[in-house]
């Protein structure tokens, strides 16, 4: 039976609501003009079309969820109005409440432009488009969509713009279920949502008590009816989830997939941001950073070309990095090799034209009785201290120079670290590199707190120590070795592009495009979300208490009370909706 009622309420959507409102409006106008239909007040049409759905929602909520926070008070007010013979007032209140509900739905609608990531699961209200669903279904061809079609979060709008209504966010959305982030110990509703729900429950108790006392003292049941209408805590209940939904939508557009609003709530209080280095602050792949020739016969460029030639058949990551770096810098073709030999643990031996080339570590050269000059060793030591890897090169039994490779900083890493400090959080480096290499990297980023030589358990220990001392810690990493720390931190953010599946599963938030430059935006967005929620809560509570005082004194009647009630809900939704496109203005 309840399922049948729910299906009836969902039937038709916006078109059904608009039709019912038009018919109800005509009926109320007829009632106002004292027109009767078969000796029946036409306002009954508004009560049936607009009031009955409200009462049914209240019944379903009470029976299935014991929800007494929203439609119950309005239902009591409608029934009381009918009992005392205020048929027109009952019909008008029902009409205004349903009109307000429709406005709320339309206010929550999102507009998605071409090229934007769809922020939440939803239904297209208007517009034609094509959506790239590869992230969800693997389809390589965009799928045409129109009004009434469903769209999923994380997919990309290709061509047309459209308006949509959100149906699922956070845990329920398709992309969140797909990546299956691990459930954390304190998962569930955001704490502030629970607070708002508890307040709403108490407001219902207060409203019923106030209505009863007002009726007993004043003898005017119309005042009690008005109290029930204005004190329905819809604005309070909407204050938090609408802001969280909008913030999650904003974060999605900036490349973040957020499991639930609780993660953003915790992120707003973070005081330390701990970074893994490799793959997070760096690109995670070695690149040639220096080519040094110590022979008058070979220039740096010629040495680079000769080494790339020798390494072109290599399967080793360093050999591949040398070849790729050369090809990225120069356009000429590398000559074919007459001979190639991979020497595990040491390097490569190759023959190109008249030259015999050795490229590898000192042991490779020593095995062929080749001595490294002291000036070459000294120059290489400077790169080794900064965390670089050095490949020594010998040509025709003579050491001629070396190539230094390192995992280079992401281009936007220094600016990101500075902007994170501007948000009030302190960046911290947790890395497995030695102290000198870690210090060099941290110096480029302006990070003052460094913890080097970290094993996975060390990262976990440092985060635990920070949190035990009262710090709120956000961990950002990408590898399997970061997973325990991501799980332990108040908020874990995993690099979704290059990150391991285990790291992503352990995190609260995934950065899909690996653009760490968006991290400061996420931190500021979380703070803005909390400010919006607090403003919404303050506004809705203030509005409720002012309205009840006016209702008790008889200043408000049920019709005006319904208008005030719905205006509060719409204002809260509009204020939350500003978060969808929010971005901190750059005053520079």
């Amino acid at each position: 039976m309840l399922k049948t009622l729910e299906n009836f309420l969902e039937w038709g959507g916006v078109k059904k609501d608009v039709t019912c409102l038009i018919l109800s409006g005509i009926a109320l106008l007829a009632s106002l003009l004292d027109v009767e239909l078969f000796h029946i007040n036409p306002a009954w049409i508004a009560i049936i079309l607009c009031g009955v759905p409200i009462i049914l929602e209240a019944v379903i909520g009470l029976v299935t969820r014991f929800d007494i926070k929203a439609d119950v008070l309005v239902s009591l007010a409608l029934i009381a109005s009918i009992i005392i013979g205020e048929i027109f007032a009952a019909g008008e209140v029902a009409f205004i409440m349903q009109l307000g509900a429709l406005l709320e739905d339309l206010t929550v609608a999102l507009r998605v432009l071409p090229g934007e990531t769809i922020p939440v699961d939803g239904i297209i209200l208007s517009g034609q488009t094509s959506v790239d669903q590869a992230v969800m279904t693997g389809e390589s061809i965009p799928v045409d969509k129109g009004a009434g079609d469903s769209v999923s979060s994380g997919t990309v709008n290709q061509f047309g713009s459209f308006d949509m209504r959100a149906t699922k966010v956070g845990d329920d959305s398709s992309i969140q279920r797909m990546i299956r982030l691990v459930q954390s110990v304190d998962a569930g509703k955001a704490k502030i949502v629970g607070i708002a729900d508890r307040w709403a429950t108490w407001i219902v108790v207060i409203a019923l008590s106030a209505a009863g006392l007002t009726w007993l003292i004043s003898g005017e049941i119309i005042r009690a009816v008005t109290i029930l209408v204005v004190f329905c805590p819809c604005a309070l209940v909407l204050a938090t989830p609408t802001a969280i939904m909008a913030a999650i939508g904003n974060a999605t557009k900036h490349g973040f997939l957020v499991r639930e609003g609780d993660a953003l709530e915790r992120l707003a209080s973070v005081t330390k941001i701990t970074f893994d280095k490799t793959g997070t602050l760096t690109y995670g792949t070695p690149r040639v950073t220096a080519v040094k020739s110590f022979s008058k016969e070979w220039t740096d460029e010629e040495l680079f070309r000769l080494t790339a030639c020798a390494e072109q058949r290599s399967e080793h990551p360093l050999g591949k990095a040398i070849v790729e770096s050369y090809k990225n810098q120069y356009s000429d073709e590398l000559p074919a090799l007459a001979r190639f030999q991979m020497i595990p643990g040491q390097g490569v031996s190759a023959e190109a034209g008249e030259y015999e080339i050795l490229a590898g570590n000192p042991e490779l050269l020593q095995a062929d009785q080749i001595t490294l000059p002291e000036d070459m060793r000294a120059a290489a030591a400077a790169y080794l201290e900064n965390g670089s890897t050095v490949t020594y090169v010998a040509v025709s039994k003579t050491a001629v120079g070396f190539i230094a490779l390192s995992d280079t900083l992401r281009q936007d890493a220094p600016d990101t670290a500075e902007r994170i400090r501007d948000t009030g959080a302190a960046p911290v480096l947790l890395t497995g590199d030695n102290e000198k290499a870690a210090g060099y990297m941290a110096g480029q980023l302006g990070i003052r707190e460094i913890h080097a030589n970290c094993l996975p358990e060390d990262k976990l220990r440092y985060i635990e120590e920070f949190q035990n001392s009262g710090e709120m810690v956000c961990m950002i990493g990408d590898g399997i070795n970061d997973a325990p720390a991501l799980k332990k931190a108040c908020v874990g953010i995993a690099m979704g592009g290059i990150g391991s599946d285990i790291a992503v599963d352990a995190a609260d938030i995934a950065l899909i495009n690996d653009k760490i430059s968006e991290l400061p935006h996420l931190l500021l967005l979380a703070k803005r979300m909390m400010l919006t929620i607090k403003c919404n809560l303050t506004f809705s509570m203030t509005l409720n208490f002012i309205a009840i005082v006016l209702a008790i004194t008889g200043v408000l009647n049920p019709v005006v009370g319904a208008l005030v009630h719905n205006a509060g809900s719409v204002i809260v939704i509009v204020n939350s909706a500003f978060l969808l496109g929010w971005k901190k203005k750059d005053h520079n």
Side-chain angles (χ1 to χ4, degrees), residues 14 105-106 109-110 123-127 146-149 162-165:
V14 174
D105 286 342
L106 296 177
L110 314 174
I123 302 293
I124 294 179
L125 299 176
S126 63
D149 291 334
F162 62 89
D163 293 332
M164 64 172 284
R165 175 171 55 84

Side-chain angles (χ1 to χ4, degrees), residues 12 96 104 125 145 174 178 192 201 226 237 324 329 368 403 417 493 495 508 521 534 538:
I96 292 171
E104 289 173 13
L125 299 176
K145 299 277 187 178
S174 305
M178 183 179 174
I192 199 164
T201 301
T226 305
V237 173
E324 183 178 355
Q329 191 170 348
D368 212 20
I403 292 178
I493 301 178
M495 307 293 281
D508 300 293
H521 171 80
K534 290 172 183 176
T538 301

Side-chain angles (χ1 to χ4, degrees), residues 30-344:
S31 177
L32 191 62
L33 297 174
D34 291 329
V35 176
E36 290 189 353
L37 298 173
F38 306 105
H39 304 289
I40 296 174
N41 190 331
W44 277 104
I45 295 175
I47 293 173
I48 293 171
L49 294 179
C50 295
V52 169
I54 294 174
I55 295 172
L56 290 177
E57 286 279 8
V59 171
I60 292 171
L62 276 172
V63 175
T64 61
R65 302 182 297 275
F66 196 64
D67 181 5
I68 59 172
K69 293 186 288 293
D71 294 323
V72 173
L73 292 181
V74 176
S75 298
L76 291 174
L78 287 173
I79 293 169
S81 297
I82 294 170
I83 291 173
I84 64 175
E86 294 285 347
I87 305 303
F88 178 78
E92 195 167 7
V93 167
F95 174 81
I96 292 171
M97 297 300 292
Q98 288 291 50
L99 178 61
L102 178 62
L103 289 174
E104 289 173 13
D105 286 342
L106 296 177
T107 306
V108 174
L110 314 174
R111 174 159 293 177
V112 183
L113 300 176
E116 289 187 341
T117 300
I118 297 172
V120 292
D121 286 10
I123 302 293
I124 294 179
L125 299 176
S126 63
Q128 297 287 330
T129 188
S130 292
V131 177
D132 181 356
Q133 301 185 144
V135 68
M136 294 298 303
T137 64
E139 296 172 278
S140 58
I141 301 174
V143 179
D144 292 336
K145 299 277 187 178
D149 291 334
S150 61
V151 289
S152 300
S153 62
T155 57
V156 180
N157 182 31
Q158 290 287 315
F159 306 120
S161 63
F162 62 89
D163 293 332
M164 64 172 284
R165 175 171 55 84
T167 57
K168 295 179 181 178
V169 295
D171 247 353
D172 292 330
S173 67
S174 305
I175 196 71
Q176 310 302 336
R177 296 196 305 271
M178 183 179 174
I179 61 177
R180 303 190 312 276
L181 294 176
V182 174
Q183 293 295 321
S184 60
V185 176
D186 57 351
K189 279 187 170 182
K191 295 179 180 63
I192 199 164
V193 174
I195 293 172
D197 283 348
R198 288 193 295 273
W199 286 358
T201 301
W202 279 107
I203 284 176
V204 171
V205 175
I206 295 170
L208 291 172
S209 302
L213 289 172
T214 301
W215 184 15
L216 289 174
I217 295 171
S218 68
E220 297 183 31
I221 193 172
I222 198 69
R223 295 192 185 187
V225 169
T226 305
I227 291 171
L228 294 177
V229 172
V230 300
F231 227 156
C232 180
C234 291
L236 180 65
V237 173
L238 288 168
T240 299
T242 54
I244 291 174
M245 182 187 75
I248 289 176
N250 184 311
T252 303
K253 290 182 179 181
H254 286 263
F256 295 96
L257 290 178
V258 183
R259 181 183 62 191
E260 53 191 347
D262 180 50
L264 292 179
E265 182 183 356
R266 285 178 273 131
L267 190 64
S269 302
V270 160
T271 55
K272 281 187 182 293
I273 309 287
T274 56
F275 286 95
D276 168 57
K277 179 183 76 69
T278 305
T280 304
L281 293 171
T282 67
Y283 288 103
T285 55
R287 298 182 182 183
V288 172
T289 54
V291 179
K292 298 290 182 182
S293 173
F294 290 80
S295 170
K296 294 179 180 180
E297 297 180 21
W298 301 94
T299 64
D300 291 348
E301 181 181 338
E302 289 169 339
L303 177 64
F304 196 0
R305 185 172 189 273
L306 202 63
T307 310
C309 178
E311 295 278 12
Q312 60 184 309
R313 294 186 192 174
S314 175
E315 293 298 320
H316 194 279
L318 293 178
K320 288 182 176 181
I322 291 173
V323 175
E324 183 178 355
S325 295
Y326 182 84
K327 288 182 176 180
N328 288 338
Q329 191 170 348
Y330 302 104
S331 59
D332 59 311
E333 292 289 329
L334 294 173
L337 293 176
R339 179 182 61 82
F340 174 83
Q341 180 183 6
M342 186 85 178
I343 304 172

Side-chain angles (χ1 to χ4, degrees), residues 441-463:
M441 188 69 70
Q444 292 182 279
L445 296 168
I447 295 178
R448 298 180 181 85
E449 187 170 355
I450 311 160
H451 299 280
N453 301 308
C454 286
L455 297 174
E457 53 268 31
D458 296 321
K459 294 181 180 181
L460 197 63
R461 176 171 53 82
Y462 282 122
I463 289 176

Side-chain angles (χ1 to χ4, degrees), residues 346-587:
Q346 295 187 357
V348 300
S349 173
E351 185 177 333
E354 59 186 285
Y355 302 110
E356 292 185 3
I357 311 163
L358 293 177
N361 57 26
E363 288 74 17
L364 175 67
L365 274 62
Q366 289 170 6
D368 212 20
Q369 308 298 317
I370 300 173
T371 304
L372 292 175
E374 286 301 318
D375 57 343
M376 188 185 299
R377 286 181 179 273
Y383 289 97
L384 292 169
E385 287 184 359
N386 291 334
S388 298
T389 300
V390 172
T391 295
Y392 296 94
V393 184
V395 179
S396 302
K397 304 292 184 180
T398 303
V400 296
F402 65 81
I403 292 178
L405 301 97
S406 67
D407 185 7
T408 54
L409 271 178
R410 292 181 181 271
Q411 189 174 1
D412 50 3
D415 179 63
T416 299
E418 182 180 352
R419 289 167 54 213
I420 284 175
R421 284 192 294 271
D422 291 341
T423 68
V428 178
L429 183 61
L430 299 180
T431 177
D433 285 350
N434 61 61
E435 292 180 0
K436 288 185 178 181
Y440 174 77
M441 188 69 70
Q444 292 182 279
L445 296 168
I447 295 178
R448 298 180 181 85
E449 187 170 355
I450 311 160
H451 299 280
N453 301 308
C454 286
L455 297 174
E457 53 268 31
D458 296 321
K459 294 181 180 181
L460 197 63
R461 176 171 53 82
Y462 282 122
I463 289 176
E464 189 171 10
E465 288 176 358
F466 292 149
Q467 294 183 164
N468 288 341
S469 64
E471 301 275 9
M472 293 284 285
V473 180
C474 172
M475 173 66 189
I476 303 173
D478 71 301
I480 293 175
N481 63 328
D482 297 320
L486 288 167
K487 189 69 176 174
K488 183 67 178 177
C490 295
V491 182
I493 301 178
M495 307 293 281
I498 65 170
S500 71
D501 290 342
I502 294 177
V504 172
D505 285 347
D508 300 293
I509 300 171
L511 178 53
I512 297 302
N513 56 19
D514 292 339
K515 290 178 63 176
I516 61 172
S517 59
E518 296 288 358
L519 289 170
H521 171 80
L522 186 67
L523 292 170
L524 293 171
L525 174 65
K527 294 178 185 291
R528 183 73 179 195
M529 182 195 79
M530 294 305 297
L531 176 62
T532 298
I533 290 173
K534 290 172 183 176
C535 288
N536 284 348
L537 292 174
T538 301
F539 168 77
S540 58
M541 291 289 288
T542 303
L543 181 66
N544 270 349
F545 280 106
I546 291 175
I548 197 172
V549 170
L550 295 177
I552 290 172
T553 57
V555 175
L556 294 183
N557 59 40
V559 173
V560 177
L563 290 171
V564 171
H565 167 273
N566 283 301
S569 298
V570 171
I571 289 171
V572 162
I573 294 173
V574 169
N575 189 44
S576 296
F578 286 133
L579 283 171
L580 276 169
W582 180 85
K583 187 174 182 180
K584 183 176 173 60
K585 293 181 180 178
D586 188 358
H587 298 289

